[in-house]
Structure formats: structure tokens, C-alpha cells
Amino acid sequence: MQVVRHNSKIKLPFVTPLEVMLMRTRVPLLSTTPVALAPPMFVALLALLLAGSASIATAQTSMVPYFGKNNIHYDKFDWHIYTTDHFEIYYYPELEKHLERLAGYAESAYQQISADLKHDLSSKIQLVLFKTHSEFEQQNVIPGAAEEGVAAFAEPIRQRMVLPIDEPSDQLYGLVVHELTHQFEFDIIPTSLVRRSVPLWVNEGLSEYERGQWTPTDLMQVRDAAVADTVPKMSETDGYGNSNSPRLVPYNLGHAVFEFIEAKFGKEGIRQFVFALRKSVIGGGEDAYEEALRMKKDEFDQAFERYLKDRFKPFRDKERPVDYGRDLAPKRGKTEYVSVV
């Protein structure tokens, strides 16, 4: 099946120079005093001002009030659809040679997440692919969502995933797993039915857990929080917490929480926690921690903190610089160089 999509452009209504100026200034230009009662000199100055401003606006562009309101599209994409068991993959000809590999990534990720959660999605996922991040930034699925620093995103209403493919193979597969996990979360806990919000660390933490990859920096943040005793009570934490890092609470500590649940209760414990949380936030269910894990919230927080302290115990026991590395400072008497602190 082939889909040819042309970038649509909004035909803007004709705007007079005066209307341009009015929309830009957004303040009343005329006094409440009738013009007929105004002094002749005031009327003349006002007319001159309007004429001059209108000519400036016309000289710039008639589209001034619309500038920056839409994404700039540098490329025109010839979209096609490739269908698999669980996906409709949108691609353009430049991606055709990568299509089989990417379809394999998507189906493998689906089988992994579906087996862990024992859940199947109700419909096929629309997977929209871009060759590079700069082309990804031109997407119009959610205008403005593909900013610099955003690797990919999942959209819950129409079950769409949008991502560029210019990543190493292992990271690209992890990216597909992360965004597809979000689609499973949206399907298990529909956003239209929730009566209270799901903590952000649940959504992002479960996606990172399924991804199964730790970067050195992310693991360092969790280790430092455990060593410094700054781990927040996750059962009471929402959003990004009080951390200066936007990744620490929702992504990294959330990831660690699900590793803790697996270590203590197995993968079935994770599934039970997610489905108990669904009943809790939709309404009618008891506390998810007690129903799924047989623990009160404060007991869960204490157990998670102990888990992190035990996991990073070797770092807590280090008290001297030599426990962390070798002294590379210049030796006195053996070199003319000195260390500067």
C-alpha cells in the first residue's frame, strides 16, 4: 500500500497593513475621545504614525503575525506504509534499505514487552520513521514536540511513535523499546479514564527498565543519591521531584525502582504492580503497593532505600582517595612540575 503525502500549507487570509500593526501591538491605538472632537494636530500626527508604521510592516512581510507559529518544512517526504503483524511503518524511499531491520527491531520489542506484561495491544501501532534528527524535527504529528534533545516520542491518542534512525543499532533498538513501552502503558492505563495522575517515574521508569540499558552518567546519579542519602520517597514523589537533574527521579530512580521490584518479587511483581496501579488510579482499587507487593508505602520506600545502599555498598565503604583511584599528581623531587589545586 502506498501513501503519497504532500505538505499542506495553510492559505492565510489577506491582512491589511493596519490589521498587521493592530495584531502586533495588541493595545488600543485610538483614544476613547471621538476623532471629530480631537485637536487637528493630534489627528494629523496619528494619521502620519499609522501611515509610517503600515509602510514598515508592509516592507517586512504581510505574514508578520504568523511568523514562528508553524514548523518550517525544508523537505517534502513521499510517504509509504509497510505493514507487519503489530505495526504500520511509515517511511519514505530513502529509508527503504533499512526497513526490514527496523521492522525486526519493532516486532522483537513488541514480543519482549508483551511477554513481560502478559498483555497485547488492541490495535496496530503507527511507527513514523525519519532518517535523521534534523528531518525528525520537521514532523507535524505533534508540532513542536521534536525539539533538540528529544530523541523520540510516543503519542497516546492515535497510538503513534515518531523517531529518527540515526543512532547506533543497540541504542536504536533501546529507543524503540522505550517508546513502545509507553504505548503499552497508554493501553493498560488509558489517560482518558484516570481519576488521578500516574507518577511520572512509573511511566518513564518502566520504559527505561524494559530498555535495559544504563549509561555511565545515569548509573552515577543513582549511585551518588544512594551514597549521599538523598533518595526521595518514591511513593510520594511525582513529576521531576526536587532534583536539579530532569533525569534523576523519573528516568534513573524510576528505572532502579523496577529493578528493585524484579529483584524482590520477580517480573510477575512488576506486572501485578502495573495492573494494581491501573485499578487504583481509575478508581475502585485499593492501594497499589499493598495489593501487588503486600507493603505499605513507607515500607516500600524503606525497602527500596536499603536495596540501593546494598547495591552500592562498595562505594559507601570507600573513605580515602586511594580507594577510588591512583594518584597521578607530580612527585616532588622527581620532576620540575608541581600540582596546582
Side-chain angles (χ1 to χ4, degrees):
M1 179 178 180
Q2 180 173 339
V3 173
V4 179
R5 176 181 299 173
H6 301 286
N7 292 334
S8 61
K9 296 183 179 179
I10 300 175
K11 185 176 181 181
L12 299 174
F14 176 75
V15 183
T16 65
L18 179 57
E19 289 173 332
V20 169
M21 184 177 178
L22 286 171
M23 283 185 282
R24 293 188 68 191
T25 57
R26 297 183 183 275
V27 294
L29 295 176
L30 301 179
S31 169
T32 55
T33 304
V35 176
L37 300 180
M41 182 62 69
F42 173 78
V43 175
L45 288 174
L46 179 59
L48 182 61
L49 175 62
L50 290 176
S53 301
S55 62
I56 293 174
T58 304
Q60 292 176 346
T61 172
S62 62
M63 307 303 178
V64 168
Y66 304 97
F67 179 77
K69 297 297 177 66
N70 294 308
N71 290 346
I72 299 176
H73 290 206
Y74 299 98
D75 303 294
K76 182 178 179 180
F77 302 109
D78 180 21
W79 290 107
H80 300 254
I81 298 178
Y82 180 82
T83 303
T84 68
D85 290 343
H86 301 101
F87 295 89
E88 289 182 348
I89 302 178
Y90 289 72
Y91 70 100
Y92 40 92
E94 291 83 355
L95 295 171
E96 191 166 2
K97 62 183 178 181
H98 304 287
L99 194 57
E100 187 174 344
R101 175 172 63 96
L102 295 166
Y105 288 171
E107 287 295 338
S108 296
Y110 185 98
Q111 295 302 328
Q112 172 192 329
I113 303 166
S114 177
D116 286 348
L117 299 177
K118 298 180 181 178
H119 183 78
D120 282 299
L121 297 178
S122 55
S123 60
K124 290 187 178 183
I125 296 297
Q126 298 178 26
L127 176 57
V128 185
L129 300 176
F130 288 90
K131 187 176 180 180
T132 64
H133 199 282
S134 61
E135 293 180 352
F136 166 66
E137 292 177 21
Q138 300 177 52
Q139 62 79 31
N140 58 4
V141 174
I142 301 180
E147 300 175 348
E148 275 191 64
V150 176
F153 66 85
E155 184 269 323
I157 306 301
R158 297 179 63 181
Q159 294 182 304
R160 292 176 290 186
M161 294 165 49
V162 187
L163 57 98
I165 67 167
D166 55 347
E167 294 282 355
S169 296
D170 59 333
Q171 295 183 28
L172 179 57
Y173 177 74
L175 192 61
V176 172
V177 172
H178 181 104
E179 301 304 333
L180 184 57
T181 304
H182 282 316
Q183 293 295 348
F184 274 83
E185 293 163 354
F186 299 149
D187 195 66
I188 294 172
I189 309 177
T191 55
S192 60
L193 299 180
V194 297
R195 296 186 180 181
R196 58 187 180 86
S197 61
V198 178
L200 182 61
W201 65 261
V202 172
N203 287 330
E204 298 299 346
L206 181 59
S207 295
E208 285 294 286
Y209 163 79
E210 288 291 343
R211 183 176 189 169
Q213 299 172 355
W214 280 105
T215 67
T217 303
D218 289 345
L219 194 60
M220 178 190 69
Q221 288 187 347
V222 178
R223 180 199 68 199
D224 290 349
V227 171
D229 294 323
T230 58
V231 178
K233 293 183 178 181
M234 297 300 288
S235 66
E236 300 177 359
T237 302
D238 197 3
Y240 295 93
N242 296 322
S243 171
N244 293 326
S245 169
R247 287 194 60 85
L248 176 59
V249 172
Y251 292 87
N252 300 336
L253 286 176
H255 183 175
V257 165
F258 284 100
E259 288 189 342
F260 157 67
I261 295 176
E262 182 191 5
K264 190 172 180 64
F265 303 98
K267 287 185 178 293
E268 181 61 21
I270 292 177
R271 177 182 176 276
Q272 291 178 1
F273 177 72
V274 171
F275 280 87
L277 186 63
R278 175 177 70 173
K279 290 195 293 184
S280 178
V281 298
I282 290 179
E286 59 181 290
D287 182 82
Y289 299 91
E290 294 188 17
E291 180 177 347
L293 310 176
R294 300 294 185 265
M295 303 173 73
K296 296 183 181 298
K297 289 184 178 181
D298 58 342
E299 295 173 342
F300 174 84
D301 293 328
Q302 293 171 11
F304 175 57
E305 187 176 5
R306 285 195 302 270
Y307 163 80
L308 289 182
K309 288 182 178 180
D310 292 341
R311 179 173 177 174
F312 297 103
K313 188 175 186 299
F315 294 94
R316 296 179 64 88
D317 293 340
K318 291 180 178 180
E319 298 179 353
R320 301 174 303 161
V322 293
D323 292 332
Y324 292 88
R326 185 162 56 94
D327 184 8
L328 300 177
K331 305 294 183 182
R332 285 187 178 182
K334 294 185 178 181
T335 176
E336 60 182 357
Y337 297 101
V338 297
S339 59
V340 178
V341 179

